[in-house]
Amino acid sequence: MDLGSLEITGGVPLHGEIGIQGSKNAVLPILVACILGEGICVIENCPQIRDVADTLEIMRHLGCLVQAANGTVRIDASCVDTFETGGKEAARIRSSVLFLGALLGRMKKAMLPLPGGCAIGERPIDQHIAALRQLGARFYLEEKIMADASDLKGGRVRLAMPSVGATENAILASVLAPGETIIEHAAQEPEIDELCEFLRLRGAQIGRTVEGNICIQGGRALRAVRYRMKSDRIVAGTYLLAAVATRGQVTIKDFPCRELDALTSTLRAIGVSVACIEDRIEVNADRPLRAISYLETSPYPGFPTDLQSPMMAVLCRARGESCICETIFENRFRTVAELQKMGAKIHTEGRCAVVKGVPTLVPARLTAPDLRGGAALVIAALQTNGTSVIQNTGYIERGYEDICRDLCGLGAKMRWGM
Ligand code: UD1
């Protein structure tokens, strides 16, 4: 589906210093939250990626005036005049479902295309719908999602699972709903807290209780603000893993150390030296790597599902057998077949994969199966002594501004295909 290719010649240990782009998973709900009030919001350090471009296009369809240049986005949402997200972009990106909550808040109605499954799994939206129903929304599901919330009001929202997107949708709807909302079993991911921080700046009363619930006093008009995005922990983790995979020595600036504790402690366990000093991390991976007996993905603060494939690419050459279990998305092992083309020894059984470390990987012609799986193949290709080609790199561009620019800055030999 997605075109584009990367040519990578591996065998060079990465070295040097790198900064990190703004967070994709935080900016998507924050952009959507710009439609909750009038005036011009300015978002700085906005990652220049495909998912952001698609989100901005949906906002233009809704009547927003949007200007984007060099990572700064200005959004004037004064003229939002429709509750229908038309256009191919809404059907293309999963996160368009966040417009549901925001439109119900602002317009009291919403109409969206039904989201399908995607490369990493079915990704149903039952939790989103259940949460919004608990705030008074009524749904009509046919070829599209139609929702009406003429008497939207605050209330108790109990999520059956801590879904990131459903928590964000409940927040986006309840900020303009009069009364108190408490979201129980809310997702704990830092991107949710960044959304809350943005909304607080806009004048919303929103915070987390000690139990981790989200509490909102809704119904206040929001003001326009200027906000600077924090760095993307998944991109930071990906580049850290690329450094480790190539046995490199790299410093990453703006590294969210506390938010990536699950990754750094896993790296220490396999023999990597990592030192977090304030908001920088120094990694030195010149010693041989050991396998990890068991690693499972889980909601924050557990090991992030988005770094599971990149971690697997590193473990392909660690000494011994590693067992990785994926508990969040059912279809995150499509990377395995590609890694096997490079000589990786991986056996999957259901949601678990056993990776038997091999001394070397060989170059191959590869196809990115999804966004993070594509990044994992880049990490794998950097470990070979030879040239690999990765196709379908449009997936990678959905989340990484320019993975080629960034890794070449650390000495990698790679270039975009013609
Ligand atoms: C977000 C992130 C994604 C990350 C994921 C988990 C964005 C744009 N994407 O995705 O990068 O991998 O969190 O950290 O922020 N589920 C249901 N019903 C629902 C909602 C979810 O069954 O209504 C299931 C999903 O299929 C999945 C699990 O719950 O198996 C987690 O999904 P969720 O936390 O909602 O992830 P996303 O918000 O889609």
Side-chain angles (χ1 to χ4, degrees), residues 85 155 175:
T85 62
V175 162

Side-chain angles (χ1 to χ4, degrees), residues 53 64 108 185 195 228 257 279 307:
C64 296
K108 308 292 172 248
H185 210 194
L195 171 63
R228 186 172 175 80
C257 288
D279 61 347
L307 289 175

Side-chain angles (χ1 to χ4, degrees), residues 22-51:
S23 163
K24 160 183 165 293
N25 287 356
V27 83
L28 296 176
I30 283 177
L31 291 174
V32 175
C34 288
I35 72 166
L36 292 176
E38 301 194 347
I40 302 174
C41 283
V42 180
I43 309 297
E44 295 173 354
N45 198 28
C46 180
Q48 299 176 67
I49 52 175
R50 285 216 187 159
D51 276 17

Side-chain angles (χ1 to χ4, degrees), residues 90-362:
R92 187 157 64 206
I93 57 165
R94 296 280 316 168
S95 56
S96 62
V97 72
L98 298 178
F99 283 98
L100 200 50
L103 283 170
L104 287 178
R106 169 91 185 244
M107 307 294 283
K108 308 292 172 248
K109 278 186 181 193
M111 196 190 280
L112 269 86
L114 269 176
C118 77
I120 58 170
E122 271 305 309
R123 303 182 89 174
I125 58 160
D126 54 305
Q127 296 303 312
H128 300 241
I129 291 176
L132 296 170
R133 279 201 172 120
Q134 291 172 70
L135 294 168
R138 288 179 298 278
F139 281 85
Y140 313 91
L141 304 173
E142 286 172 18
E143 278 150 34
K144 293 188 166 203
I145 307 172
M146 284 172 282
D148 179 299
S150 37
D151 45 7
L152 190 73
K153 54 179 179 302
R156 194 163 280 267
V157 175
R158 289 188 188 87
L159 294 177
M161 59 166 77
S163 153
V164 173
T167 303
E168 290 165 348
N169 244 330
I171 291 172
L172 291 166
S174 57
V175 162
L176 296 184
E180 181 178 78
T181 295
I182 295 180
I183 307 171
E184 293 176 0
H185 210 194
Q188 304 297 314
E189 269 65 7
E191 291 77 16
I192 307 266
D193 293 279
E194 193 166 353
L195 171 63
C196 294
E197 190 179 327
F198 173 73
L199 288 167
R200 262 196 306 277
L201 263 180
R202 293 200 74 182
Q205 275 193 304
I206 178 167
R208 254 196 218 276
T209 64
V210 278
E211 299 83 29
N213 297 336
I214 292 182
C215 189
I216 301 146
Q217 303 294 334
R220 293 167 151 231
L222 301 186
R223 58 176 169 259
V225 291
R226 178 177 279 267
Y227 182 79
R228 186 172 175 80
M229 298 305 306
K230 295 180 185 155
S231 47
D232 190 307
R233 67 188 169 107
I234 303 302
V235 173
T238 306
Y239 293 168
L240 186 65
L241 287 166
V244 171
T246 60
R247 310 296 186 260
Q249 205 172 346
V250 165
T251 299
I252 304 181
K253 297 180 286 182
D254 315 317
F255 188 90
C257 288
R258 199 170 47 88
E259 296 169 3
L260 279 173
D261 208 38
L263 174 64
T264 48
S265 50
T266 304
L267 288 178
R268 287 193 183 101
I270 66 170
V272 181
S273 154
V274 275
C276 272
I277 304 146
E278 293 174 3
D279 61 347
R280 321 161 57 81
I281 190 164
E282 290 172 12
V283 62
N284 187 346
D286 57 356
R287 284 174 293 171
L289 303 183
R290 296 185 292 272
I292 184 131
S293 53
Y294 183 73
L295 178 67
E296 78 172 21
T297 60
S298 53
Y300 188 82
F303 194 92
T305 173
D306 286 345
L307 289 175
Q308 182 264 111
S309 302
M311 186 75 211
M312 181 184 280
V314 168
L315 292 173
C316 284
R317 283 202 310 136
R319 198 184 299 146
E321 261 186 21
S322 303
C323 177
I324 305 176
C325 292
E326 171 59 60
T327 73
I328 312 285
F329 289 109
E330 66 274 20
N331 211 1
R332 282 263 204 214
F333 284 155
R334 300 191 336 150
T335 324
V336 169
E338 300 301 308
L339 294 172
Q340 284 167 339
K341 289 182 192 164
M342 308 177 82
K345 294 258 177 299
I346 308 171
H347 169 76
T348 57
E349 210 167 308
R351 290 195 163 206
C352 295
V354 175
V355 184
K356 198 170 175 192
V358 292
T360 50
L361 293 176
V362 293

